[in-house]
């Protein structure tokens, strides 16, 4: 999409010029005449939410299992390139007394799924297919939930924004870390004003993926590798922070990014590449390509972001160093600090999440926070200020699973919003703002950490949009949850 067209659409977006793109669309769905700003957008209530899950490799099966536990939600369609993967999930639904889903397979089976009689497309495919499927689904009248990262380029982010606006369909990124217990506790403390005005935030995705990236793959439904090495291929080609949203998403909620503040510019610096190539040479010596593959992505990337209101954010990315998994989550305000570290146990077992968080704030102005609160006070405050979503549904979420329950709470919340005609917690502008940093951080790295401006996908809407409040769900209103079927997905990737 040319910059001229971009400038043209920016000036005419609210006058319906973009509606000419309706040509060639399915007759069952008609585009609106006037594109709409999607901030605060609420779609008509859906009494029954029919979901089609595309991609049944690593993440897809877990989504099927979680969604099957939510009242008023039906997994109505399943799609994967490999028929055996579809068959396994349908067998799971049947075994657990859920309706059997329609099956779609092959390289373009996802198009037929998007054309079918469903409400939501849940996209858990490899990264290269996130944008094509999301655009096609919205053009055919479906709301879209897209795994992370949902896009990698500024151009693709604009395409998702403009398509969501024109079709008036939700396009939400499935950022599960925004629903972690520690992250939501911090949000609760921020909304109560206990940390004061938020000044600085830090997040990270530190996860040794070397073995998984080089692992041979197969269509086996129980396989746990990347088909055609898609993640390794991406890392071999790109620098910068290509997977920023786990650490970034919660911080954006604390700081009201796109809802009172926005990203202004960034700088990105990274180390050289050491560990991917050293690992391959040691483990795959003599292999026809693995031991000689050159990987562009450095081991540690550190990205710094300045916001329009003068806040600072640091986000780190390292998927090749031999170090324990970490998503440290730091939020510093004028009165105090929250320092949360989320970690996982042995990834070969069913994942159980633990959260370690420390925090403290001034009791009186100027007293300072020289040490964190003691363990007793931390425990008391954690209980007192536990986010309502975790208070109400946390124990049930832990039983279902999905990264300790946060995946289930994420799905529970967006389903509840669709059922009740509420705005989603994050929208297409959040998706675009978070995801465009992949390309922008790479540009900065390749230009000696030059500062790069971040586009305003809201086109000024950030100045008046309302911040995310303390959201909740009414479980009784949703109906009976019935027998619990555990999410058996076992990988945190």
């Amino acid at each position: 999409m040319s910059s001229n067209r971009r400038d043209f659409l920016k000036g005419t977006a609210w006058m319906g010029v973009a509606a000419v793109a309706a040509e060639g669309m399915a007759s069952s769905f008609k585009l609106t005449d006037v594109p709409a700003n999607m901030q605060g957008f609420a779609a008509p209530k859906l009494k029954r939410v029919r979901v089609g899950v595309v991609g049944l490799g690593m993440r897809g099966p877990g989504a099927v299992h979680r969604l099957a536990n939510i009242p008023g939600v039906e997994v109505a369609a399943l799609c994967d390139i490999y028929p055996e993967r579809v068959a396994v999930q349908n067998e799971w639904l049947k075994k657990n007394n859920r309706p059997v889903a329609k099956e779609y397979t092959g390289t373009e089976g996802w198009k037929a799924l998007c054309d079918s009689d469903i409400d939501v497309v849940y996209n858990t495919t490899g990264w290269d297919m996130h944008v094509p499927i999301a655009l096609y689904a919205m053009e055919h009248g479906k709301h879209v939930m897209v795994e992370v990262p949902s896009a990698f380029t500024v151009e693709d982010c604009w395409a998702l924004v403009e398509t969501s606006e024109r079709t008036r369909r939700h396009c939400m990124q499935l950022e599960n870390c925004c629903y972690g217990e520690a992250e939501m506790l911090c949000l609760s403390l921020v909304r109560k004003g206990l940390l004061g005005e938020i000044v600085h935030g830090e997040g990270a995705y530190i996860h040794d993926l070397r073995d998984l990236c080089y692992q041979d793959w197969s269509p086996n439904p129980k396989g746990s590798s990347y088909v055609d090495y898609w993640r390794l291929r991406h890392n071999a080609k790109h620098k910068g922070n290509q997977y920023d949203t786990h650490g970034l998403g919660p911080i954006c909620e604390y700081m009201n990014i796109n809802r009172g503040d926005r990203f202004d510019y960034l700088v990105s610096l990274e180390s050289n590449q050491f560990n991917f190539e050293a690992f391959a040479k040691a483990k795959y010596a003599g292999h026809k390509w693995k031991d000689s593959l050159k990987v562009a992505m450095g081991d540690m990337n550190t990205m710094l972001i300045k916001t329009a209101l003068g806040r600072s954010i640091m986000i780190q990315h390292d998927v090749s160093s031999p170090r324990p998994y970490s998503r440290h989550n730091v939020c510093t305000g004028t009165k105090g600090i929250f320092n949360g570290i989320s970690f996982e146990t042995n990834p070969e077992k069913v994942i159980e999440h633990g959260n370690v968080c420390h925090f403290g704030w001034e009791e009186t102005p100027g007293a300072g926070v020289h040490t964190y609160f003691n363990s007793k006070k931390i425990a008391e405050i954690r209980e007192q200020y536990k986010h309502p979503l975790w208070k109400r549904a946390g124990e049930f979420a832990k039983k279902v699973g999905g990264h300790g329950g946060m995946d289930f709470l994420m799905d529970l919340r967006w389903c509840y919003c669709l059922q009740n005609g509420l705005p989603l917690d994050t929208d297409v502008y959040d998706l675009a703002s978070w995801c465009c940093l992949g390309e922008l951080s790479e540009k900065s790295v390749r230009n000696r950490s030059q500062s790069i401006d971040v586009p305003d996908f809201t086109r000024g809407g950030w100045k008046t949009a309302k911040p995310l409040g303390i959201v909740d769900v009414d479980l009784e209103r949703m109906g009976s949850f019935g027998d619990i079927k555990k999410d058996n997905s076992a990988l945190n990737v």
Side-chain angles (χ1 to χ4, degrees):
M1 193 177 297
S2 69
S3 58
N4 288 338
R5 177 173 178 267
R6 173 78 64 247
D7 294 337
F8 177 70
L9 284 178
K10 285 167 67 177
T12 60
W14 318 123
M15 295 186 289
V17 177
V20 296
E23 294 180 7
M25 291 205 29
S27 59
S28 61
F29 172 63
K30 183 179 180 181
L31 283 170
T32 56
D33 293 329
V34 182
N37 186 297
M38 298 299 286
Q39 290 181 297
F41 171 77
K45 295 180 182 180
L46 291 172
K47 184 176 181 180
R48 181 168 62 106
V49 182
R50 300 164 300 174
V51 184
V53 180
V54 185
L56 299 171
M58 289 185 170
R59 289 286 185 90
V64 172
H65 304 169
R66 295 190 304 273
L67 293 168
N69 279 284
I70 302 176
V73 176
E74 178 187 353
V75 179
L78 297 169
C79 178
D80 195 275
I81 295 176
Y82 304 107
E84 52 267 54
R85 291 183 172 181
V86 176
V88 166
Q89 295 310 312
N90 239 343
E91 183 61 29
W92 186 93
L93 291 171
K94 182 179 179 180
K95 180 180 178 181
N96 289 287
N97 301 315
R98 269 55 173 184
V100 173
K102 292 182 180 178
E103 299 186 356
Y104 300 90
T105 61
T107 57
E108 293 198 343
W110 57 271
K111 289 185 177 179
L113 178 142
C114 292
D115 292 337
S116 68
D117 192 20
I118 58 175
D119 305 299
V120 177
V121 173
Y122 198 108
N123 186 352
T124 62
T125 61
W127 293 346
D128 290 349
M129 293 303 297
H130 285 182
V131 172
I133 293 174
L135 293 175
Y136 191 91
M138 286 188 286
E139 296 283 14
H140 290 76
K142 309 303 187 290
H143 300 299
V144 187
M145 307 296 151
V146 193
E147 262 295 353
V148 298
S150 301
F152 286 97
T153 69
V154 173
E155 193 69 18
D156 279 346
C157 288
W158 274 116
L160 292 172
V161 166
E162 291 168 353
T163 303
S164 178
E165 291 174 340
R166 177 166 46 79
T167 61
R168 297 190 183 183
R169 289 297 179 268
H170 290 296
C171 183
M172 173 181 155
Q173 179 162 245
L174 293 164
E175 185 39 76
N176 54 354
C177 293
C178 288
Y179 295 86
E181 187 172 2
E183 287 85 350
M184 297 200 88
L185 169 64
C186 183
L187 181 61
S188 179
L189 297 176
V190 169
R191 291 293 181 263
K192 297 293 185 180
L194 295 172
L195 302 184
E197 180 73 16
I198 304 307
V199 176
H200 173 74
E202 298 177 16
Y205 184 72
I206 311 295
H207 190 185
D208 183 1
L209 296 177
R210 292 172 298 171
D211 192 56
L212 197 57
C213 282
Y214 283 95
Q215 191 177 104
D216 289 334
W217 62 276
S218 77
N220 187 321
K222 296 183 179 180
S224 60
S225 56
Y226 300 106
V227 173
D228 197 26
Y229 310 96
W230 58 259
R231 192 161 189 160
L232 177 61
R233 288 190 290 106
H234 190 93
N235 292 344
K237 182 179 180 181
H238 294 283
K239 292 182 175 294
N241 190 331
Q242 301 294 312
Y243 201 75
D244 60 59
T245 69
H246 281 339
L248 182 64
I251 293 171
C252 289
E253 292 186 347
Y254 310 153
M255 292 186 176
N256 300 329
I257 298 301
N258 293 331
R259 297 167 173 80
D261 199 356
R262 75 172 188 89
F263 298 150
D264 187 2
Y265 64 90
L266 65 81
V267 296
S268 184
L269 179 145
E270 72 184 31
S271 70
N272 288 345
Q273 169 51 230
F274 297 98
N275 279 304
F276 263 128
E277 295 177 15
F279 169 83
K281 283 181 171 61
K283 185 165 183 175
Y284 295 101
H287 190 276
K288 60 182 178 181
W289 62 267
K290 290 182 181 180
D291 64 351
S292 59
L293 178 70
K294 301 300 294 181
V295 177
M297 181 178 291
D299 285 5
M300 170 61 80
N301 177 278
T302 300
M303 176 171 60
L304 302 175
I305 306 170
K306 189 72 174 289
T307 76
L309 297 187
R311 300 181 173 107
S312 59
I313 303 171
M314 181 186 78
I315 303 295
Q316 292 186 312
H317 176 268
D318 184 346
V319 294
S320 58
S321 295
R323 53 186 292 187
Y325 181 96
S326 174
R327 286 191 334 269
H328 61 263
N329 177 242
V330 178
C331 182
T332 304
T334 54
K335 293 182 179 179
I337 181 173
F338 180 96
N339 185 0
I341 302 174
S342 298
F343 62 91
E344 280 67 27
T345 58
N346 190 337
E348 295 179 357
K349 300 179 180 178
V350 176
I351 293 179
E352 297 177 355
H353 282 230
N355 291 296
V356 177
C357 56
H358 306 283
F359 44 82
W361 50 78
E362 292 182 328
E363 300 293 352
T364 59
V369 182
H370 303 291
T371 61
Y372 294 116
F373 292 152
N374 61 43
S375 58
K376 181 180 179 181
K377 186 168 184 177
I378 285 176
E380 291 172 352
I381 292 173
R382 287 183 65 175
E383 187 60 32
Q384 180 182 358
Y385 292 101
K386 181 181 290 186
H387 194 282
L389 194 57
W390 272 93
K391 279 186 178 180
R392 192 179 302 274
E395 290 307 310
F396 187 85
K398 290 176 182 178
K399 291 178 181 178
V400 176
H403 295 89
M406 65 182 180
D407 295 12
F408 177 76
L409 288 181
M410 171 187 69
D411 291 333
L412 178 70
R413 175 62 188 169
W414 68 255
C415 288
Y416 181 81
C417 289
L418 290 183
Q419 290 172 351
N420 291 279
L422 301 172
L424 303 187
D425 297 342
T426 60
D427 55 33
V428 71
Y429 306 107
D430 300 313
L431 179 157
S433 298
W434 304 352
C435 290
C436 77
L437 305 184
E439 177 184 8
L440 300 183
S441 67
E442 181 170 11
K443 285 184 176 179
S444 179
V445 168
R446 293 186 182 276
N447 287 278
R448 295 178 59 84
S449 301
Q450 175 183 341
S451 65
I452 304 288
D453 290 342
V454 181
D456 174 17
F457 293 97
T458 73
R459 307 181 190 85
W462 63 273
K463 297 177 182 178
T464 55
K466 295 180 180 180
L468 177 68
I470 302 294
V471 300
D472 201 352
V473 294
D474 185 341
L475 298 182
E476 292 184 2
R477 188 173 184 177
M478 297 188 77
S480 174
F481 278 74
D483 55 333
I484 297 172
K485 304 304 177 186
K486 191 169 182 61
D487 171 8
N488 293 314
S489 57
L491 290 170
N492 178 52
V493 290

